[in-house]
Amino acid sequence: MTRRALLIVNRHARRGADQADTAAALLRAAGLDVTEAPFEEKGSPSDAIRRHGGGVDLVVIGGGDGTVNAAAEGLLETALPFGILPLGTANDLARTLGIPTDLGAACRIIAAGHLRRIDLGWVNGQHFFNAASLGLSVEIAQRLTKESKGRWGIFAYLATAISVLRYARPFSAEIRCGGELHRVRTVQITIGNGRYFGGGLTVAADAAIDDGELDIYSLEVNHWWQLLPLLPSMRTGTVGTWPRVRALKGREVEIIPKRRSRPINTDGEVTTATPAKFRVIPRAVSVFAPAPG
């Protein structure tokens, strides 16, 4: 029986405009009956899934992490499995799942039909696949532009981080996790659901998107230059072994700022603010991923 697929491609994503038509052709060549839905604005992927969900068997989302995040509500409501075509800049969820950026290979994974149940993160009513964070990462997200990402790709994250780093100032907050209270003075708190975020940074060496836990770390430095030795370990996921880094795990986390509210970034977009309650929703959605081995 031919499977019916709803294809949503963000043509504003880094490779979206160039690859949208090719993606549809590849999926049809793989035997899928494809219905294309236009991507017009933030939130529209979920709207399209709600509109077409009753007439399709699966959803295919082409774009970056922000596009996939915008589809989370629709995927939860319809319980449809989804595939990812990594056409954005960072593509951290695809990296976590082992989905290659090669469009043909990504389409073949969807056609093969192997499904993996994965967790979703939740904060103040917002869902996230990769990570939520406050502090430095919010400033980086606010300064990143579509133009810089389109021109420089993943290097735009690095250039923006360097420009922001010099002006990093610590803030005070309380972290409640696992029945314990941690009073911190930090420049960044990251709450990871997946393994990768921020263009290839690793939340923790043992982080997994289907382990039913959130991985938390807090960068507790006083001066921006103290972050420099930590940068390599942020790529490998070993940052939690450093003395100036607090690493925690839990199913629920609460963060309360000592003074003013702090904006929170979820999968690259600023969507909510502290005080904040975070939790993991185990095995919330099904995604097409490479089969084990």
Side-chain angles (χ1 to χ4, degrees), residues 7 9 11 78 99 122 138 145 149 154 203 272 283 285:
L7 174 61
V9 176
R11 291 177 181 265
T78 61
I99 299 170
W122 179 96
V138 171
T145 64
K149 290 195 290 184
I154 201 70
V203 177
T272 185
R283 299 173 61 82
V285 291

Side-chain angles (χ1 to χ4, degrees), residues 42 65-66 90 92 131-149 156-165 187-188 197-199 201 263-272:
K42 184 179 178 182
D65 292 308
D92 284 311
S133 55
L134 56 151
L136 274 176
S137 62
V138 171
E139 297 179 44
I140 293 170
Q142 290 173 330
R143 293 198 188 191
L144 269 174
T145 64
K146 289 183 179 179
E147 291 74 20
S148 65
K149 290 195 290 184
Y157 285 83
L158 178 61
T160 306
I162 291 172
S163 68
V164 167
L165 198 60
V187 294
Q188 168 146 327
F197 77 105
L201 300 180
I264 295 174
N265 168 345
T266 55
D267 288 343
E269 302 288 340
V270 178
T271 57
T272 185

Side-chain angles (χ1 to χ4, degrees), residues 119-122 128 175-180 182 190-193 203 206 208 211-217 247-254 278-282:
D119 305 338
L120 265 179
W122 179 96
F128 60 94
I175 303 175
R176 299 179 185 271
C177 180
E180 296 183 352
H182 305 267
T190 298
I191 300 91
N193 174 58
V203 177
D206 60 347
D211 61 2
E213 286 192 311
L214 299 173
D215 291 273
I216 306 101
Y217 70 73
L248 305 166
K249 285 182 180 288
R251 290 175 175 259
E252 296 184 358
V253 185
E254 185 174 4
F278 302 79
R279 60 185 173 90
V280 65
I281 308 174

Side-chain angles (χ1 to χ4, degrees), residues 38-217:
F39 181 102
E40 297 173 354
E41 60 187 18
K42 184 179 178 182
S44 63
S46 283
D47 295 336
I49 293 168
R50 294 183 186 104
R51 285 196 304 270
H52 298 278
V56 298
D57 304 304
L58 63 116
V59 178
V60 180
I61 304 166
D65 292 308
T67 307
V68 181
N69 179 285
E73 299 293 337
L75 294 170
L76 277 171
E77 290 177 25
T78 61
L80 286 167
F82 74 104
I84 301 170
L85 304 180
L87 303 177
T89 303
N91 302 308
D92 284 311
L93 179 57
R95 184 181 285 109
T96 290
L97 296 169
I99 299 170
T101 56
D102 177 78
L103 186 59
C107 287
R108 287 192 293 273
I109 287 170
I110 296 168
H114 176 75
L115 284 172
R116 180 176 174 185
R117 297 288 297 186
I118 62 172
D119 305 338
L120 265 179
W122 179 96
V123 51
N124 291 356
Q126 299 288 330
H127 292 94
F128 60 94
F129 286 94
N130 301 319
S133 55
L134 56 151
L136 274 176
S137 62
V138 171
E139 297 179 44
I140 293 170
Q142 290 173 330
R143 293 198 188 191
L144 269 174
T145 64
K146 289 183 179 179
E147 291 74 20
S148 65
K149 290 195 290 184
R151 183 175 183 182
W152 301 108
I154 201 70
F155 296 105
Y157 285 83
L158 178 61
T160 306
I162 291 172
S163 68
V164 167
L165 198 60
R166 300 192 315 173
Y167 304 101
R169 297 291 182 272
F171 60 93
S172 297
E174 292 183 352
I175 303 175
R176 299 179 185 271
C177 180
E180 296 183 352
L181 172 64
H182 305 267
R183 293 184 174 89
V184 303
R185 185 164 172 79
T186 180
V187 294
Q188 168 146 327
I189 302 172
T190 298
I191 300 91
N193 174 58
R195 182 173 177 82
Y196 297 107
F197 77 105
L201 300 180
T202 306
V203 177
D206 60 347
I209 200 166
D210 53 5
D211 61 2
E213 286 192 311
L214 299 173
D215 291 273
I216 306 101
Y217 70 73

Side-chain angles (χ1 to χ4, degrees), residues 226-248:
Q226 293 173 320
L227 286 169
L228 297 179
L230 304 181
L231 295 179
S233 60
M234 292 177 72
R235 301 289 295 185
T236 61
T238 56
V239 68
T241 62
W242 287 74
R244 295 183 180 272
V245 178
R246 188 185 306 264
L248 305 166

